[in-house]
Amino acid sequence: MQLERRGYVKAGHWTPEAAVEHPEAVRQLHREFLRAGASVIQTFTFYCSEDKLEISGNINDAACDLAREVADQGGALVAGGEKEVKAIFKKQMDDFLKKDIDFLMVEYFEHVEEAVWAVEVLKTSGKPVGATLCISPHGDMSGVPPGECAVRLVKAGADIVGINCHLDPLTCVRTVKLMKEGLEKAGLKAHLMVQPLGFHTPECNHTGYLSLPEFPFALETRSLTRWDIHKYAREAYNAGIRYIGGCCGFEPYHIRAIAEELAAERGFLPPASEKHGLWGAALEMHTKPWVRARARREYWETLLPASGRPTCPSMATPADE
């Protein structure tokens, strides 16, 4: 979404031709996330397989090179991932392995059955494998509960399980909690991961923001503030989730907010915090006294942001799911 807004990607399937057409744009976005505190740089390869794009192999090669180049500048890891059935995953896995990515990530699955197929293929690589579903607390599109989804993924060999996309942070954290409960009941263990939307989606389930009338070109009014992200990061950490990130709608300053909220646990602040006073501290030098008064945590933690739109409804009516 960030590259679409910057004019490098066409909306729809969000195909990643930019990795070969505008590598400098992809590289710069990677750098911004790295500077903001990201520990993982994910390859820009979503929806890029031969049944989607004839030049997918070249794109995957270029995307891996860009991610590795930037990740090495800050000691981050590189994750690669694709979605499709086993034959396609084998082809994609081979492309990634040629670039020696650090671990493999399969994401954006609405059906756990398909995710299990992917994990089974990727485990043959010898690399750690993560798997995330874009499902709600109600379960996947076939009605499989989150806890059972997690059990199936771990039994297939996933080292990391969790949720990505479709819904807002606190909803996604709630779903991961259900996955964790399922694993505990089954006597299984795995690292937990969450990569939610950077948008508020309180009225949605299952297909999430895809069913909102604002999708995809009018979502700005639903954007999360950095303070929303602080709350999310703490909620996720307290739930036992240690791979905490973001999906569509997340910008570098959101990642910085995660890094700042968890600075004590991580032991350091990211380079981008040099230009950001924690909890508004930089406002202490503002010329206006009422703005200087906002240089405190309590103000931002209790703020209820207004939309600024006189006739803006508080909720929308999602499309049929």
Side-chain angles (χ1 to χ4, degrees):
M1 280 198 163
Q2 298 312 316
L3 287 174
E4 190 278 332
R5 291 174 175 178
R6 299 179 187 192
Y8 296 103
V9 170
K10 184 180 292 185
H13 290 153
W14 311 96
T15 48
E17 295 98 335
V20 292
E21 294 176 348
H22 301 285
E24 73 287 351
V26 179
R27 185 181 293 112
Q28 178 59 29
L29 189 59
H30 282 328
R31 284 173 176 158
E32 291 175 16
F33 281 116
L34 182 69
R35 176 175 169 78
S39 299
V40 173
I41 301 299
Q42 198 162 332
T43 59
F44 189 46
T45 52
F46 176 78
Y47 215 84
C48 186
S49 56
E50 288 189 351
D51 61 328
K52 306 297 189 300
L53 293 172
E54 291 183 0
I55 58 172
S56 65
N58 292 333
I59 290 178
N60 284 334
D61 285 350
C64 288
D65 287 341
L66 293 172
R68 170 59 66 196
E69 176 188 337
V70 175
D72 285 347
Q73 295 171 8
L77 303 179
V78 176
E82 275 294 322
K83 71 161 195 156
E84 258 307 332
V85 292
K86 285 189 173 182
I88 295 175
F89 267 101
K90 176 64 168 63
K91 172 64 171 63
Q92 300 305 310
M93 179 183 72
D94 291 341
D95 286 341
F96 292 127
L97 291 178
K98 291 176 185 176
K99 297 297 180 179
D100 194 31
I101 48 82
D102 295 300
F103 66 102
L104 291 160
M105 182 66 63
V106 297
E107 65 175 17
Y108 202 83
F109 287 92
E110 295 178 330
H111 299 270
V112 69
E113 182 179 15
E114 187 180 26
V116 165
W117 295 342
V119 171
E120 289 173 347
V121 171
L122 298 190
K123 283 301 290 184
T124 65
S125 69
K127 298 277 188 179
V129 175
T132 56
L133 307 174
C134 52
I135 65 173
S136 75
H138 299 285
D140 78 352
M141 295 298 284
S142 298
V144 181
E148 184 178 341
C149 287
V151 169
R152 291 188 188 183
L153 290 171
V154 173
K155 286 185 176 180
D159 303 289
I160 309 168
V161 296
I163 299 297
N164 82 292
C165 207
H166 272 201
L167 291 156
D168 59 46
L170 297 185
T171 302
C172 288
V173 169
R174 193 162 77 248
T175 308
V176 176
K177 287 180 179 179
L178 293 173
M179 297 179 86
K180 181 182 180 182
E181 289 176 8
L183 292 175
E184 290 174 345
K185 288 180 181 178
L188 299 172
K189 291 184 178 181
H191 297 287
L192 301 175
M193 174 179 179
V194 62
Q195 288 187 301
L197 294 179
F199 307 110
H200 292 284
T201 61
E203 63 272 68
C204 288
N205 58 34
H206 286 304
T207 57
Y209 78 146
L210 300 179
S211 64
L212 290 175
E214 298 96 334
F215 178 84
F217 299 124
L219 288 165
E220 286 85 351
T221 57
R222 291 175 173 270
S223 293
L224 297 169
T225 70
R226 65 197 68 192
W227 316 120
D228 292 324
I229 300 299
H230 274 270
K231 181 179 180 180
Y232 148 62
R234 183 52 56 190
E235 185 81 12
Y237 190 89
N238 289 344
I241 304 170
R242 293 296 179 265
Y243 192 130
I244 303 171
C247 200
C248 304
F250 261 68
E251 297 191 40
Y253 75 91
H254 290 127
I255 298 300
R256 180 180 63 188
I258 295 174
E260 290 182 346
E261 175 62 31
L262 300 176
E265 289 81 2
R266 299 179 84 203
F268 63 94
L269 285 169
S273 292
E274 297 170 4
K275 299 295 184 181
H276 185 242
L278 298 181
W279 293 103
L283 297 179
E284 292 175 349
M285 66 180 86
H286 201 279
T287 58
K288 307 298 184 183
W290 61 89
V291 178
R292 287 199 301 274
R294 299 171 187 170
R296 54 194 175 89
R297 178 170 182 162
E298 182 183 8
Y299 177 87
W300 297 111
E301 277 192 318
T302 58
L303 178 71
L304 295 176
S307 72
R309 297 174 181 270
T311 60
C312 183
S314 62
M315 294 281 193
T317 301
D320 292 338
E321 298 178 352

